[in-house]
């Protein structure tokens, strides 16, 4: 059974930094692209970033230059380093497992809440 | 960027009735579209990919169709478990984008 478990959420001040982790199990982690998606309060889903098997990365314009996605295949773990956080980054952050071929998301974690506030 | 627009924002339906949710893309593409269901406090769940292929374990009452710029998710006979928010997502090109969601509520 595929399991994705996010951690690292919490309260952070504007301008601060945070690193999220997503521990994966139940599948061959190194064989799949992985993605971060967020949902801000009262809003819909927003794609944030994807890292493919080869380590190529893709970012939404809203986070490019501030967020960094990475992966450690030896630890079956996905990361999201978030710098220069803003109030509008407040959201539940989900990690997701991409399909084997294209970028739809066939499994999701339960999410971790980030609140950016002073 | 491909902008995905879902309509209506809210759909009020009685149990047992049919629900039709729309998703419109700002640019045309073939079949690179997925649908997700999200209930309060839960993670999203994949329903449909490649426009019309049901994900593993998804009941046959869920179906997807469309191409170009117009896509549709149909729930043939709504069950109590189906009241949720539904999102479409294009994976035709970067950046990946979601629609704003359609909330299906009990009438």
């Amino acid at each position: 059974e595929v399991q994705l478990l996010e951690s690292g959420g919490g309260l952070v001040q504007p301008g601060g930094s945070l690193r999220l982790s997503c521990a994966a199990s139940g599948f061959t982690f190194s064989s799949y692209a992985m993605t971060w998606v967020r949902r801000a309060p009262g809003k819909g889903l927003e794609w944030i970033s994807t890292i493919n098997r080869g380590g190529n990365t893709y970012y939404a314009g809203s986070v490019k230059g501030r967020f960094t996605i990475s992966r450690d295949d030896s630890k079956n773990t996905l990361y999201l380093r978030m710098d220069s956080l803003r109030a509008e980054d407040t959201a539940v952050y989900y990690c997701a497992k991409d399909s084997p071929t294209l970028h739809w998301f066939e499994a999701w974690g339960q999410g971790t809440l980030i609140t950016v506030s002073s | 960027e491909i902008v995905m627009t879902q309509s209506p924002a809210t759909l009020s339906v009685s149990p047992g009735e049919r629900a039709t949710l729309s998703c419109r893309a700002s640019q045309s593409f073939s079949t690179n579209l997925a649908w997700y269901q999200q209930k309060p406090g839960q993670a999203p769940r994949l329903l449909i990919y490649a426009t019309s292929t049901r994900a593993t374990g998804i009941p046959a009452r869920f179906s997807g169709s469309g191409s170009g710029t117009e896509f549709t998710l149909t729930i043939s006979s709504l069950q109590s478990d189906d009241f949720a928010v539904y999102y479409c997502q294009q994976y035709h090109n970067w950046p990946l984008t979601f629609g704003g969601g359609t909330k299906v509520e009990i009438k």
Side-chain angles (χ1 to χ4, degrees):
Chain A
E1 179 192 3
V2 172
Q3 292 196 6
L4 299 169
L5 183 61
E6 302 94 338
S7 60
L11 175 64
V12 60
Q13 292 188 338
S17 298
L18 212 56
R19 189 180 80 159
L20 304 183
S21 299
C22 172
S25 61
F27 64 102
T28 305
F29 181 76
S30 59
S31 295
Y32 290 85
M34 296 293 294
T35 290
W36 290 98
V37 174
R38 69 185 179 187
R39 185 177 183 185
K43 297 195 173 182
L45 298 175
E46 180 187 12
W47 171 78
I48 294 301
S49 183
T50 295
I51 184 167
N52 68 17
R53 292 179 295 170
N56 292 327
T57 58
Y58 305 85
Y59 296 95
S62 59
V63 305
K64 195 168 187 177
R66 301 188 298 123
F67 290 12
T68 303
I69 191 172
S70 61
R71 63 191 298 160
D72 186 336
D73 290 344
S74 69
K75 295 182 178 180
N76 291 343
T77 302
L78 175 71
Y79 302 101
L80 185 68
R81 169 75 181 189
M82 302 182 293
D83 296 315
S84 303
L85 283 161
R86 307 166 180 166
E88 54 265 35
D89 295 318
T90 294
V92 176
Y93 285 72
Y94 300 96
C95 72
K97 170 181 175 281
D98 287 38
S99 80
T101 52
L102 295 174
H103 298 287
W104 71 82
F105 312 122
E106 54 185 26
W108 297 70
Q110 283 302 305
T112 187
L113 175 63
I114 307 298
T115 302
V116 183
S117 174
S118 55
Chain B
E1 171 175 329
I2 300 177
V3 176
M4 307 300 292
T5 303
Q6 290 187 242
S7 61
T10 303
L11 186 61
S12 298
V13 185
S14 299
E17 287 187 342
R18 182 186 193 92
T20 302
L21 288 66
S22 295
C23 176
R24 174 174 292 178
S26 62
Q27 300 173 30
S28 180
F29 55 86
S30 55
T31 60
N32 291 347
L33 186 104
W35 289 94
Y36 304 86
Q37 176 194 67
Q38 188 174 31
K39 299 177 183 178
Q42 296 187 17
R45 177 174 72 145
L46 175 68
L47 298 175
I48 301 280
Y49 61 92
T51 297
S52 59
T53 303
R54 279 190 302 278
T56 302
I58 301 303
R61 64 180 182 272
F62 291 92
S63 63
S65 62
S67 66
T69 61
E70 301 285 343
F71 299 87
T72 300
L73 175 70
T74 301
I75 312 172
S76 60
S77 176
L78 268 158
Q79 307 296 304
S80 58
D81 192 47
D82 300 336
F83 293 96
V85 180
Y86 293 82
Y87 296 94
C88 60
Q89 177 235 334
Q90 67 80 19
Y91 49 93
H92 179 68
N93 60 17
W94 304 99
L96 308 180
T97 47
F98 289 90
T102 291
K103 181 180 180 180
V104 177
E105 64 177 26
I106 300 174
K107 186 173 183 180

